[in-house]
């Protein structure tokens, strides 16, 4: 399988290095909850069963015809349970949910700006993780226990991912670490989207200074010793589509652009998940260093190809909803339509517009049919 | 654009604050600093 692994991996390397590959590579993203349901397991148990994760990776690699590991797992319920998390909780079905939370008050901007990392430990974490809201000795014990659990689970997953590629002839893992845009960090678990929308009117200068203050921390988070074009820094982009253009230019774009440029300068190459519709901001995205991968959720594929597809690597845009309700032929026809628009000239990795969370998000047979079609049809 | 915090100890800070056997600094660093980075990485995971 090693030869097959090299061949599949080369498809991605060619794109990363500006060459046209033998064919369009297929990168499918499935949350582990999707694979758990596909396997017929109970999510309330399977989310705890770390030892079983490797079986789910194997099942996915054997089944879904992705050229690279399809299973995405970033939320570890044992760690959240140890911490008493309120930001990530298991629902009654076993699905891990992310309720809107607010870990920071409006009058705490100056404290955040003075030392973001200290603020996180002193104020934010005890609010998001209730078992850290205790005396220093117990807090240290809970934090240690949770970090050990995180390290063990993460190590277990990484070790299996590395062996997965050679076992099934797929490419090596493409994501090496994660960071987020400064504005998104503060808007998500610090202030919450609702409060942040008010803050940009009430405290605009502090919001700008807070984005600048967290920037060095987020640059550091996105650079690892293994960072490269093939081990990318994943960044889900959240808040920009909900902003007016003038607010985007003032609050979001300046520190986001600095972050991307700093990552590139350090050899850490971004893979952006461009959530929602960024059509208004395509010219801005085109200012980023060439070769940034952008996985788009919505937008006109022709416009995206024309405006950013010559400079950057495009993926996404295939509607997951069609895989849920469409016939096999409708799904294949859509794949052909997208490949015909996005593949010419290279710079294209086939993927869906979002990550499938639940089995009813996408019919597994449609995923397999579409991926098999692209692998056969999208040959250069 | 260097990351600094009262709660983060870079290797340079660690050397200043501790008596390090300079002849063996490479192996001491390799077996000390990764744990500081591990705490940083875990902290970032908790807020992303």
């Amino acid at each position: 399988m090693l030869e097959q692994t090299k061949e599949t991996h080369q498809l991605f390397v060619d794109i990363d290095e500006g060459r046209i590959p033998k064919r369009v590579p297929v990168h499918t993203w499935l949350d582990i909850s999707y694979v758990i349901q596909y396997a017929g397991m109970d999510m309330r148990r399977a989310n705890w069963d770390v030892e079983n994760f490797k079986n789910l990776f194997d099942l996915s690699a054997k089944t879904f015809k992705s050229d690279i590991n399809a299973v995405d797992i970033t939320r570890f319920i044992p760690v959240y349970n140890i911490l008493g998390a309120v930001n990530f909780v298991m629902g009654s079905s076993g699905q891990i949910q992310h309720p809107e939370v607010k870990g920071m008050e409006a009058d705490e901007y100056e404290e955040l700006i003075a030392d973001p990392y200290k603020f996180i430990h002193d104020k934010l974490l005890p609010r998001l993780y209730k078992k850290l809201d205790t005396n220093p000795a117990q807090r240290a014990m809970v934090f240690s226990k949770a970090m050990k659990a995180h390290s063990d689970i993460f190590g277990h997953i990484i070790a299996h991912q590395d062996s997965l590629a050679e076992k099934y002839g797929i490419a090596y893992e493409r994501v090496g670490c994660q960071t987020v845009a400064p504005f998104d960090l503060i808007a998500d678990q610090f202030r919450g989207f609702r409060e942040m929308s008010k803050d940009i009117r009430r405290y605009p200068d502090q919001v700008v200074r807070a984005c600048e203050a967290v920037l060095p921390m987020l640059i550091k988070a996105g650079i690892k010793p293994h960072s490269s074009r093939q081990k990318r820094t994943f960044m889900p982009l959240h808040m920009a589509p909900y902003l007016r253009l003038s607010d985007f230019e003032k609050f979001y774009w300046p520190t986001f652009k600095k972050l991307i440029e700093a990552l590139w300068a350090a050899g850490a190459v971004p893979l952006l998940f461009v959530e929602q519709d960024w059509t208004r901001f395509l010219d801005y995205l085109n200012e980023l260093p060439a070769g940034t991968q952008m996985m788009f959720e919505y937008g006109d594929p022709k416009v995206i190809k024309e405006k950013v597809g010559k400079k950057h690597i495009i993926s996404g845009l295939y509607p997951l909803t069609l895989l849920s309700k469409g016939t096999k032929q409708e799904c294949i026809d859509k794949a052909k339509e997208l490949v015909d628009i996005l593949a010419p000239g290279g710079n294209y990795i086939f993927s869906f517009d979002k990550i499938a969370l639940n089995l009813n998000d996408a019919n597994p047979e449609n995923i397999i049919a579409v991926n098999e079609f692209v692998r056969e049809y999208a040959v250069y | 654009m260097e990351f600094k915090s009262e709660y983060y100890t870079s290797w340079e800070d660690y050397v200043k604050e501790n008596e390090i056997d300079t002849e063996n600094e490479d192996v001491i660093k390799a077996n000390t600093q990764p744990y500081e980075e591990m705490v940083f990485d875990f902290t970032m995971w908790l807020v992303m």
Side-chain angles (χ1 to χ4, degrees):
Chain A
M1 271 296 174
L2 193 55
E3 279 308 307
Q4 179 62 51
T5 299
K6 284 181 186 169
E7 192 174 317
T8 312
H9 193 68
Q10 191 63 38
L11 300 172
F12 293 91
V13 173
D14 284 342
I15 290 176
D16 290 334
E17 295 181 355
R19 295 186 295 270
I20 293 180
K22 282 186 181 172
R23 63 170 173 85
V24 172
V26 172
H27 188 170
T28 295
W29 299 65
L30 306 172
D31 189 87
I32 196 161
S33 59
Y34 182 94
V35 187
I36 290 170
Q37 291 170 56
Y38 178 76
M41 295 173 180
D42 183 344
M43 279 201 291
R44 290 168 300 179
R45 180 178 177 83
N47 269 315
W48 285 94
D49 191 358
V50 174
E51 190 59 33
N52 184 52
F53 288 170
K54 65 177 184 294
N55 298 324
L56 297 167
F57 280 95
D58 279 295
L59 175 65
S60 169
K62 280 188 283 194
T63 307
F64 293 109
K65 310 296 179 191
S66 175
D67 285 317
I68 197 163
N69 167 44
V71 182
D72 182 52
I73 174 166
T74 51
R75 304 296 167 198
F76 306 150
I77 204 66
V79 181
Y80 291 129
N81 189 262
I82 289 167
L83 292 164
V86 298
N87 53 348
F88 292 98
V89 293
M90 186 186 273
S92 57
S93 67
Q95 184 75 260
I96 298 172
Q97 297 165 339
H98 179 36
E100 170 141 342
V101 291
K102 185 179 75 172
M104 170 185 156
E105 298 299 329
D107 62 2
E108 292 175 328
Y109 268 104
E110 292 304 327
E111 200 176 341
L112 168 70
I113 291 164
D115 188 338
Y117 192 62
K118 182 174 188 292
F119 178 82
I120 286 170
H121 280 278
D122 286 346
K123 295 288 173 69
L124 196 80
L125 295 185
R127 292 170 183 161
L128 300 181
Y129 302 99
K130 290 300 177 192
K131 289 183 183 171
L132 294 176
D133 188 14
T134 181
N135 63 65
Q138 283 186 315
R139 183 187 298 184
M141 289 176 192
V142 171
F143 190 89
S144 304
K145 195 161 57 171
M147 195 175 87
K148 173 66 173 150
H150 178 267
S151 173
D152 286 354
I153 296 170
F154 202 66
H156 182 83
I157 291 168
I158 293 292
H160 195 65
Q161 281 175 340
D162 285 348
S163 64
L164 201 69
E166 291 172 14
K167 190 171 175 186
Y168 294 102
I170 57 178
Y172 294 106
E173 199 66 20
R174 189 161 176 78
V175 173
C177 66
Q178 178 171 332
T179 190
V180 293
F183 189 90
D184 283 334
L185 180 80
I186 300 164
D188 189 8
Q189 299 192 56
F190 286 59
R191 294 290 291 137
F193 278 21
R194 208 173 303 138
E195 293 301 315
M196 191 61 160
S197 301
K198 297 177 195 165
D199 288 356
I200 61 175
R201 302 277 162 262
R202 296 182 296 192
Y203 319 110
D205 293 342
Q206 285 180 309
V207 172
V208 168
R209 288 169 51 232
C211 288
E212 288 167 354
V214 301
L215 178 60
M217 184 174 73
L218 295 173
I219 293 171
K220 179 175 172 57
I223 300 169
K224 292 288 166 280
H226 56 255
S227 291
S228 71
R229 286 175 186 260
Q230 281 82 49
K231 279 272 189 269
R232 293 193 172 228
T233 299
F234 182 66
M235 288 181 63
L237 310 181
H238 291 148
M239 195 73 178
Y242 303 98
L243 298 175
R244 294 190 301 200
L245 183 60
S246 58
D247 291 334
F248 172 81
E249 288 173 336
K250 180 173 182 175
F251 299 108
Y252 198 98
W253 180 249
T255 47
F256 171 61
K257 188 182 182 196
K258 282 181 194 171
L259 171 59
I260 299 291
E261 290 174 343
L263 294 179
W264 268 99
V269 179
L271 193 174
L272 310 179
F273 181 22
V274 188
E275 293 186 24
Q276 275 292 332
D277 188 341
W278 277 60
T279 301
R280 289 183 295 148
F281 310 123
L282 291 178
D283 289 335
Y284 291 89
L285 292 178
N286 217 25
E287 290 179 23
L288 300 177
T292 299
Q293 185 179 339
M294 299 174 185
M295 180 177 160
F296 286 92
E297 186 170 10
Y298 303 126
D300 183 332
K302 286 180 184 166
V303 174
I304 289 171
K305 179 70 174 176
E306 177 62 28
K307 286 205 168 184
V308 293
K310 291 168 189 154
K311 184 174 180 181
H312 299 301
I313 299 165
I314 305 301
S315 57
L317 292 167
Y318 186 101
L320 199 67
T321 50
L322 182 63
L323 294 170
S324 168
K325 304 290 181 201
T327 65
K328 195 177 285 186
Q329 193 56 50
E330 285 169 339
C331 293
I332 288 171
D333 290 346
K334 185 68 182 177
K336 181 178 182 304
E337 177 192 322
L338 277 173
V339 167
D340 287 346
I341 295 168
L342 294 168
N347 271 353
Y348 176 51
I349 296 169
F350 180 85
S351 62
F352 306 137
D353 62 356
K354 55 178 78 63
I355 299 168
L357 294 172
N358 290 300
L359 205 52
N360 57 13
D361 287 344
N363 179 342
E365 290 180 10
N366 284 343
I367 293 179
I368 295 164
V370 163
N371 286 352
E372 282 180 334
F373 167 78
V374 173
R375 288 163 60 142
E376 287 172 17
Y377 174 74
V379 176
Y380 286 104
Chain B
M1 204 175 296
E2 194 184 351
F3 169 69
K4 286 182 183 294
S5 169
E6 184 184 328
Y7 288 178
Y8 173 80
T9 306
S10 67
W11 179 248
E12 290 70 28
D13 292 338
Y14 193 87
V15 170
K16 282 179 203 159
E17 293 164 11
N18 297 275
E19 286 183 22
I20 300 296
D21 172 5
T22 50
E23 279 185 25
N24 295 306
E25 183 176 336
D26 59 335
V27 72
I28 298 171
K29 180 181 179 182
N31 288 282
T32 305
Q33 194 60 23
Y35 299 103
E36 185 74 35
E37 304 307 326
M38 192 182 279
V39 173
F40 175 84
D41 289 345
F42 180 56
T43 303
M44 291 295 101
W45 183 80
L46 291 173
V47 298
M48 285 186 193

